């Protein structure tokens, strides 16, 4: 393997730069040339591909976002469009492509490796949602979790001053991990996630019992994929007459300097992706399971869900917030 390329795609996440840096430096350490594809698959199609040097990734490990930029490129689902992208790689004799993103991005990589046998592809899980199979954690999850904790700690100060119930809406379309982990970390009274059927009437009863026991405030942590914070507040108001406020944390969860855990994860996964390419592997997503580096075929990642919601953590959060 003499030349590889790397791109970031889909929703960005803190730590993507650290992953690109690890890919670039591991490759150069092994005498492999590296090309950066700017603006995700869009840049692959438009030939926005540039050689990266050791210095290209200097001063990036601590930065959020992605210096390669990310984009959605719905046209990439069309074979004719992918042909152009593949040709842009082939004319530079690029034999390996590392795609950092979510499972939509992995699907694009899978198509490339199916349609051009000379190009190996490896995916690195970059998303704050922690919703990718084949890994215990995705790059960006820990940073987003800490951003939520920091925000809710502040919300808690004002919540207790005014004896209010705050409904905090966090990201997570189909996966409640951010709400779950953040809920446990901030001592939320209730966690509302897509994986568990929650009766809002019971949430109202719990808040009421808390108030009777003298609780100054309550935090309800809601994953956006389950219901919006506003919907949750409206539902609650059918059962209980309390002073509620909704806080939608939104895109601040995607930004910020990556946490130590994310920098380490991104560096390990980036290095492993290059090692896999060098050993001839293709169409796999790297991950971490029980602190061991892993590689799972894209087919398995899409095929079945091993990224199970952790019911033990959910139960523990419930027991600790009575
Ligand atoms: P994420 O990677 O975060 O899940 P998306 O689902 O938006 O984000 O996917 C990112 C990009 O990956 C899309 O804009 C598109 O270019 C590409 N992509 C997604 N699904 C496919 C597919 N089925 N075939 C080819 N490319 C795809």
């Amino acid at each position: 393997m003499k030349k590889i390329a790397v791109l970031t795609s889909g929703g960005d996440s803190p730590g993507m730069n650290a992953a690109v840096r690890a890919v670039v430096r591991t490759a150069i350490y092994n005498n492999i040339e590296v090309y950066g594809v700017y603006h995700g698959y869009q840049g692959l199609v438009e030939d926005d591909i540039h050689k990266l040097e050791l210095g290209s990734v200097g001063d990036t490990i601590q930065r959020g976002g992605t210096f390669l930029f990310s984009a959605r490129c719905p046209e990439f689902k069309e074979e004719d469009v992918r042909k152009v992208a593949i040709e842009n790689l082939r004319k530079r004799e690029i034999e390996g492509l590392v795609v950092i993103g979510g499972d939509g991005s992995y699907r694009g990589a899978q198509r490339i490796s199916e349609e051009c046998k000379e190009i190996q592809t490896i995916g690195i899980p970059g998303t704050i949602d922690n919703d990718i199979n084949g890994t215990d954690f995705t790059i960006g999850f820990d940073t987003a979790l800490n951003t939520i904790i920091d925000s809710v700690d502040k919300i808690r100060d004002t919540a207790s001053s005014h004896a209010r119930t705050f409904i905090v809406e966090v990201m997570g379309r189909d996966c409640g991990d951010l709400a779950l982990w953040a809920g446990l970390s901030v001592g939320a009274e209730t966690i509302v996630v897509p994986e568990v059927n929650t009766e809002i009437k019971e949430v109202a009863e719990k808040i009421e019992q808390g108030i009777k026991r003298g609780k100054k405030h309550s935090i309800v942590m809601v994953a956006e994929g389950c219901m919006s914070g506003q919907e949750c507040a409206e539902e609650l108001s059918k059962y209980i007459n309390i002073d509620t406020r909704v806080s939608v944390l939104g895109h601040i969860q995607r930004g910020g300097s990556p946490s130590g855990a994310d920098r380490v994860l991104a560096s390990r996964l980036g290095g492993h992706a290059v090692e896999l390419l060098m050993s001839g592997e293709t169409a796999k997503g790297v991950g971490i399971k029980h602190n061991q580096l892993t590689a799972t075929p894209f087919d398995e990642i899409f095929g079945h869900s091993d990224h199970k919601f952790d019911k033990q953590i959910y139960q523990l959060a419930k027991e600790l917030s009575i």
Side-chain angles (χ1 to χ4, degrees):
M1 171 133 321
K2 299 217 167 54
K3 293 182 187 179
I4 66 167
V6 56
L7 62 81
T8 51
S9 166
D12 67 329
S13 69
M16 278 184 160
N17 281 327
V20 173
R21 173 180 177 271
V23 168
V24 170
R25 296 221 165 144
T26 307
I28 294 175
Y29 181 83
N30 288 287
N31 299 315
I32 298 170
E33 271 184 27
V34 197
Y35 289 80
V37 181
Y38 288 74
H39 303 282
Y41 288 119
Q42 194 71 43
L44 204 52
V45 176
E46 292 172 359
D47 210 16
D48 197 356
I49 304 171
H50 307 273
K51 195 162 176 242
L52 298 174
E53 308 292 349
L54 285 175
S56 312
V57 289
D59 202 25
T60 59
I61 194 167
Q62 78 280 19
R63 294 184 199 278
T66 159
F67 82 91
L68 289 178
F69 305 105
S70 189
R72 311 257 184 210
C73 177
E75 311 83 77
F76 207 72
K77 291 182 183 161
E78 294 160 30
E79 194 174 344
D80 284 355
V81 174
R82 289 197 298 271
K83 266 194 184 140
V84 177
I86 288 170
E87 191 42 41
N88 286 334
L89 291 171
R90 287 179 60 154
K91 73 183 183 196
R92 290 184 176 83
E93 299 175 331
I94 290 169
E95 303 153 279
L97 175 67
V98 177
V99 170
I100 305 169
D103 61 1
S105 303
Y106 280 16
R107 283 180 198 277
Q110 188 186 37
R111 294 276 170 273
I112 292 173
S113 53
E114 281 166 359
E115 289 160 17
C116 179
K117 296 290 172 214
E118 298 98 88
I119 299 173
Q120 297 162 232
T121 59
I122 295 290
I124 298 181
T127 162
I128 64 165
D129 284 356
N130 209 33
D131 60 350
I132 301 184
N133 293 330
T135 187
D136 290 342
F137 296 106
T138 58
I139 297 167
F141 173 70
D142 184 68
T143 307
L145 172 63
N146 281 289
T147 300
I148 297 170
I149 292 170
D150 190 43
S151 306
V152 177
D153 286 349
K154 289 177 177 134
I155 287 170
R156 189 182 277 284
D157 290 343
T158 167
S160 54
S161 304
H162 290 274
R164 278 177 180 147
T165 294
F166 262 86
I167 296 147
V168 182
E169 180 191 315
V170 298
M171 284 189 172
R173 261 174 302 173
D174 307 308
C175 177
D177 276 19
L178 271 178
L180 174 68
W181 285 62
L184 176 67
S185 304
V186 302
E189 273 58 37
T190 305
I191 299 169
V192 184
V193 286
E195 293 89 344
V196 181
N197 184 30
T198 307
E199 297 293 338
I200 298 299
K201 187 167 182 261
E202 286 170 22
V203 177
E205 284 165 4
K206 192 172 180 188
I207 293 171
E208 202 157 39
Q209 281 161 15
I211 292 170
K212 277 187 192 146
R213 282 201 346 260
K215 269 199 177 185
K216 292 274 176 292
H217 61 260
S218 302
I219 304 283
V220 179
M221 190 70 72
V222 185
E224 62 175 358
C226 198
M227 60 168 63
S228 73
Q230 194 54 43
E231 280 165 347
C232 183
E234 281 161 21
E235 280 296 305
L236 267 176
S237 69
K238 291 180 187 166
Y239 305 104
I240 186 172
N241 184 20
I242 45 166
D243 194 13
T244 56
R245 291 290 184 276
V246 177
S247 190
V248 181
L249 297 189
H251 281 78
I252 61 161
Q253 295 164 88
R254 287 249 196 101
S257 178
S259 66
D262 274 330
R263 294 180 198 200
V264 171
L265 180 64
S267 301
R268 292 178 76 188
L269 295 183
H272 193 46
V274 175
E275 283 163 8
L276 289 171
L277 287 175
M278 289 191 313
S279 59
E281 300 276 6
T282 187
K284 289 186 173 174
V286 290
I288 193 135
K289 285 187 181 172
H290 310 296
N291 203 25
Q292 297 296 312
L293 293 166
T294 58
T296 310
F298 286 147
D299 280 337
E300 273 180 46
I301 290 177
F302 305 139
H304 61 90
S305 171
D306 69 351
H307 191 88
K308 289 200 184 72
F309 182 74
D310 196 326
K311 290 211 170 83
Q312 277 184 350
I313 296 182
Y314 181 80
Q315 181 58 29
L316 178 67
K318 219 173 173 176
E319 288 171 18
L320 299 186
S321 68
I322 44 167

